[in-house]
Amino acid sequence: MALQDLSRGGFPDGFLFGAATSAYQIEGSGFGSAGLSHWDTFAATPGNVVGGEDGRRACEHYLRWESDLDLIRDAGMDAYRFSVNWARVQPDGQGRLNAEGMDFYDRLVDGMLERGLKPYLTLYHWDLPAALSRRGGWVNRDVADWFADYARLVTGRLGDRVASVATINEPWCVAWLSHFHGAHAPGLRDVSAAAHAMHHVLLAHGRALEAMRAEGVKNLGIVLNFEHIAPATDRPEDVRAAAREDAIYNRWFIEALTKGTYPAEALAGLERWMPGRWQDDMAGIRAPLDWLGVNYYRRALKVHDPDSLWPAIAETPGPLPKSSMGWEIYPEGLRHRLAGLARDHVGDLPIYVTENGMAAEDSVLGETVDDAVRLDYIDTHLRAVQAAIRDGANVRGFFYWSLLDNYEWAFGYDKRFGLVHVDFATLKRTPKNSYHALARMLRRNE
Ligand code: IFM
């Protein structure tokens, strides 16, 4: 059975196992005098989210955080990756502090330490204060300074106890998915807004690193998402379309961070829409990282779309088994990505798999959930991590996405990624078979 012949002993000494979540997806943004974020307003606009669902209540983690942390400890995990909701600590995104919100994170971090869990803090997992969104959000260059001030504020309070700080989660989603595809808040479909956001999200990361380093905050990184992108056929136009997608999705951020450049295939369409003198910012964007976070879920097959403007790419379903997101399951892509990042970009820098997991159609039967398909997914992806380590990647940890079933953004509560099932009527938590199997694996050390 999956996971049965894996154990901690198969990973390097000190390798961390954890689970990941994000604030908007689990906390309940309606609790604790938080300000509105652009996800609250996006979700309240017809047509944006399945069923018009929002994160105002979510999993009520704001109220149930202690028993949620117990679940992580009881699984034998070493670390917990969580995020801070910016509008919870600064309701207007700048200035006024919501003491109640900051106290919540203070208690949460102490709660992790009391349970022997290392706190892995992410500063931005998509919940931009609505007040800043109204001022242009990621399209406005000032966002870099707003974000650096916020980073300084949060780490000024929590920085003495967290094990690591990530600036931004998945900048591709923050910028491209949200300003070009319009699928996430703020829901723009505008190439110029997208080009500005693609640059400003990195500028904000660089400014925040500088601000936090000046205050002595340690172990700073960023979390990028990668997909295994391949052409659906060997026709030259499909091969070129896949290369364009790869440049926008997989190469834009890592090349800026490690080489101080953007890929030519992406600039070919974006350069005319970029903010003026963007080149002057690249030295700050390239500031050294202490670690890199890698989120990986799937393979995506691309074709040229002759009916579309640049970048003229369409996706086509592949033949592999899929998660309930419709995402092809392809663990080899994780091995390939981790090894490639080490070889071509970050050398020996510590890499963490900060998200990996799958959505499945889980239902509670008796007192548990039979999610054999998820167990298999975790098994094959952990083996891919082991293979990447053998290939030379310095992978130091693995965080399953996600601890709990939660708000899957524009899909509402439809997609279940959790190790722990959540009944969204009662909010009862039921650990799935994958939770129990992972816990057994983490107790083995042979
Ligand atoms: O739920 C998201 C998460 O917020 C960011 N990474 C991908 C997950 C699954 O779609």
Side-chain angles (χ1 to χ4, degrees), residues 158-173:
L158 307 179
D160 58 333
R161 282 156 294 150
V162 295
S164 114
V165 181
T167 52
I168 293 179
N169 183 68
E170 300 186 350
W172 179 86
C173 296

Side-chain angles (χ1 to χ4, degrees), residues 28-77:
S29 62
F31 303 115
S33 317
L36 289 176
S37 82
H38 69 172
W39 266 95
D40 293 311
T41 57
F42 181 75
T45 310
N48 284 341
V49 177
V50 171
E53 291 171 327
D54 61 34
R56 304 295 291 161
R57 183 176 182 218
C59 303
E60 278 189 1
H61 174 73
Y62 187 81
L63 308 176
R64 299 166 186 254
W65 62 272
E66 289 171 284
S67 47
D68 287 342
L69 292 185
D70 289 347
L71 283 167
I72 308 171
R73 177 202 57 204
D74 295 347
M77 291 182 183

Side-chain angles (χ1 to χ4, degrees), residues 21-22 25 81 125-126 169-170 173 184 223 225 249 295-297 325 327 354-359 401-402 406-409 411 415 417:
T21 65
S22 90
Q25 293 177 272
R81 177 171 176 248
H125 197 125
W126 307 354
N169 183 68
E170 300 186 350
C173 296
H184 278 193
V223 171
N225 48 326
Y249 198 117
N295 293 357
Y296 174 86
Y297 289 89
M325 297 292 283
W327 295 350
T354 32
E355 285 183 31
N356 175 247
M358 72 173 288
W401 181 272
S402 181
N406 60 43
Y407 182 68
E408 179 54 22
W409 307 109
F411 294 94
K415 306 290 178 192
F417 278 88

